[in-house]
Amino acid sequence: MATDLTDLGNWLAVPGVVCLWAAVLLRAPGALRSPQQRGLWLAVATAAAAMTLNLPNVVAYAMSRGPGYAHTIGLVRNLIGVLSAGAVLYFVAATTRGRKLQLTACVATVAWLTTLVALDAAAPDHGTHTMPPVGDPVPSLAYWLVLISAHVVANIVCVALCWRYSRRTESRALAAGLRLFGLGTALAGLFWLAYLLKALFGSTWAMPALPLLMNLHGLLRAAAILVPTLFTLRRTCADIATTWRLWPLWRDLVEAVPHVALNKPRAWRVMELLWPPVPRNLLVYRKVIETRDAILILGEYVAPGAMEEARGQVTGHGVPEQRATAAALARVLKEARQAKLDGAPGQPGEAAALELPAAIHTSQEGGDLADEARFLVDVAQAYAAPATTRK
């Protein structure tokens, strides 16, 4: 069983490092521009570097180059690991806006790094840094206790604050990121607690699980910094779907009321998605407000009582109220659009505009754009249907 855990952990070593570096590279542009995300990105980047230097093949190569080379790789790996622990504290401080904790993280990191270098220099000549199953730690017990304390303190503080603030934040992306990062950090904490037991009491029962703990920690931290990317991707896919569904209705209405559109409609709607005329994150916004503006103008061409008549024809057949309103609006929009294109005189004034659904007016007063988009998608569906009067 112990051998199986070790083998599984070693098998995950390369995938874990690859996932970490992929996440680091993908998030670098956005993270480096955001002070709150910079600490998290640095923590994961330094963890990726330390884990890369700890890969079995890298360790074997360093050992084959001689004691001096192996010593340098071991020391650099440990120093980067402590830098990662400090970055973890800094990330939590930046997320929770704890100025004192940010300063403490920086001071503690410098102190840990300085102490490790001093202890390494004071130790007798040695090769790679290790804690063998039998015998004294290399280069010294004091060195390993300082190294372990840095990780344990940073991990405990990080897990506690990640759990605390993930329950307080209203941002789903931030909450998910904090929980994933906290879980990964908890696994890293168990890894270093096992080393502490070995250093103080010679206990080795947990050692076979250490590669698995460390590499699962890497995968969870990679997932944590990719959370904003995944949420952005989901939002982008939803915007693409909304734009695709709104486009036929938007195109027909803009054809009748062209001055409401910021840009002239493209020949094919796929071009609207591949080469959007506005920044992609504003595409749904533009389509919604231009469709709404066109509806309000075409309201001048709606005959008095037309909406009530159309609504009466689609209600009472098991159709939800919003869908019934959307179907009624689609019907009167077809008629109003045709009247506008035929050159019929409009009826300016509040009376005609009041015939339109309350959802359109509410959105003008600061309502939810997402709710309005969903309603207009229902209108677009009904508008494109062969019949919008009866079910």
Side-chain angles (χ1 to χ4, degrees):
M1 180 67 177
T3 304
D4 291 342
L5 282 177
T6 303
D7 290 342
L8 177 59
N10 290 333
W11 180 82
L12 281 175
V14 173
V17 168
V18 170
C19 289
L20 273 173
W21 281 118
V24 165
L25 294 175
L26 282 172
R27 290 298 303 155
L32 293 176
R33 290 193 299 267
S34 170
Q36 288 189 338
Q37 296 182 26
R38 203 173 296 148
L40 172 61
W41 182 87
L42 179 61
V44 177
T46 48
M51 289 177 65
T52 300
L53 293 176
N54 201 42
L55 287 172
N57 289 341
V58 174
V59 173
Y61 175 75
M63 296 291 287
S64 69
R65 293 288 300 272
Y69 192 87
H71 163 260
T72 301
I73 294 296
L75 178 61
V76 170
R77 178 177 64 238
N78 290 339
L79 294 178
I80 292 176
V82 170
L83 184 60
S84 177
V88 165
L89 284 177
Y90 185 86
F91 153 67
V92 174
T95 302
T96 59
R97 295 179 174 84
R99 296 289 183 181
K100 291 183 179 179
L101 184 56
Q102 281 180 299
L103 180 60
T104 301
C106 294
V107 172
T109 302
V110 172
W112 279 323
L113 292 173
T114 304
T115 304
L116 285 179
V117 172
L119 289 172
D120 179 78
D125 290 342
H126 54 277
T128 188
H129 297 178
T130 183
M131 191 177 291
V134 179
D136 296 330
V138 179
S140 66
L141 177 61
Y143 176 95
W144 276 93
L145 289 178
V146 171
L147 176 63
I148 292 169
S149 70
H151 286 283
V152 170
V153 169
N155 292 338
I156 289 175
V157 172
C158 178
V159 170
L161 292 180
C162 281
W163 174 250
R164 178 182 176 184
Y165 284 94
S166 69
R167 300 175 66 185
R168 291 185 178 183
T169 181
E170 296 180 358
S171 168
R172 293 176 59 195
L174 180 58
L178 286 172
R179 285 168 185 164
L180 286 171
F181 195 84
L183 180 56
T185 303
L187 295 181
L190 292 176
F191 175 95
W192 288 106
L193 284 173
Y195 264 111
L196 183 61
L197 291 176
K198 172 65 175 64
L200 295 178
F201 308 109
S203 174
T204 59
W205 64 269
M207 302 300 280
L210 298 192
L212 181 61
L213 289 175
M214 182 52 63
N215 293 312
L216 285 176
H217 133 270
L219 291 172
L220 287 168
R221 283 194 172 179
I225 68 169
L226 285 176
V227 164
T229 300
L230 295 176
F231 271 73
T232 299
L233 180 61
R234 188 180 71 169
R235 186 168 58 249
T236 299
C237 290
D239 286 352
I240 288 173
T242 299
T243 302
W244 182 266
R245 294 169 180 167
L246 280 180
W247 193 84
L249 173 66
W250 169 82
R251 179 202 54 195
D252 276 13
L253 299 189
V254 164
E255 185 181 71
V257 193
H259 65 273
V260 301
L262 183 64
N263 303 96
K264 185 178 179 180
R266 305 283 182 84
W268 299 288
R269 61 174 155 174
V270 69
M271 294 178 64
E272 198 82 7
L273 301 177
L274 295 177
W275 297 281
V278 296
R280 193 174 296 277
N281 62 329
L282 296 178
L283 198 53
V284 169
Y285 173 76
R286 290 301 314 174
K287 290 291 177 286
V288 167
I289 64 170
E290 289 171 5
T291 302
R292 174 220 298 157
D293 290 348
I295 289 174
L296 294 175
I297 292 172
L298 289 176
E300 299 177 1
Y301 297 85
V302 176
M307 273 296 297
E308 284 73 9
E309 180 183 350
R311 191 183 290 109
Q313 292 174 333
V314 295
T315 53
H317 298 280
V319 181
E321 182 178 350
Q322 178 166 310
R323 299 294 294 272
T325 302
L329 179 57
R331 176 180 174 83
V332 299
L333 279 177
K334 285 184 177 180
E335 298 172 355
R337 173 182 176 274
Q338 193 58 51
K340 174 73 166 60
L341 292 175
D342 291 343
Q347 304 173 35
E350 291 187 18
L354 289 174
E355 297 287 335
L356 296 175
I360 299 296
H361 300 296
T362 301
S363 67
Q364 285 186 300
E365 298 167 3
D368 192 338
L369 180 71
D371 288 341
E372 184 180 359
R374 282 190 288 270
F375 174 75
L376 291 178
V377 166
D378 288 341
V379 176
Q381 264 186 321
Y383 187 89
T388 59
T389 55
R390 289 181 173 83
K391 300 291 179 185

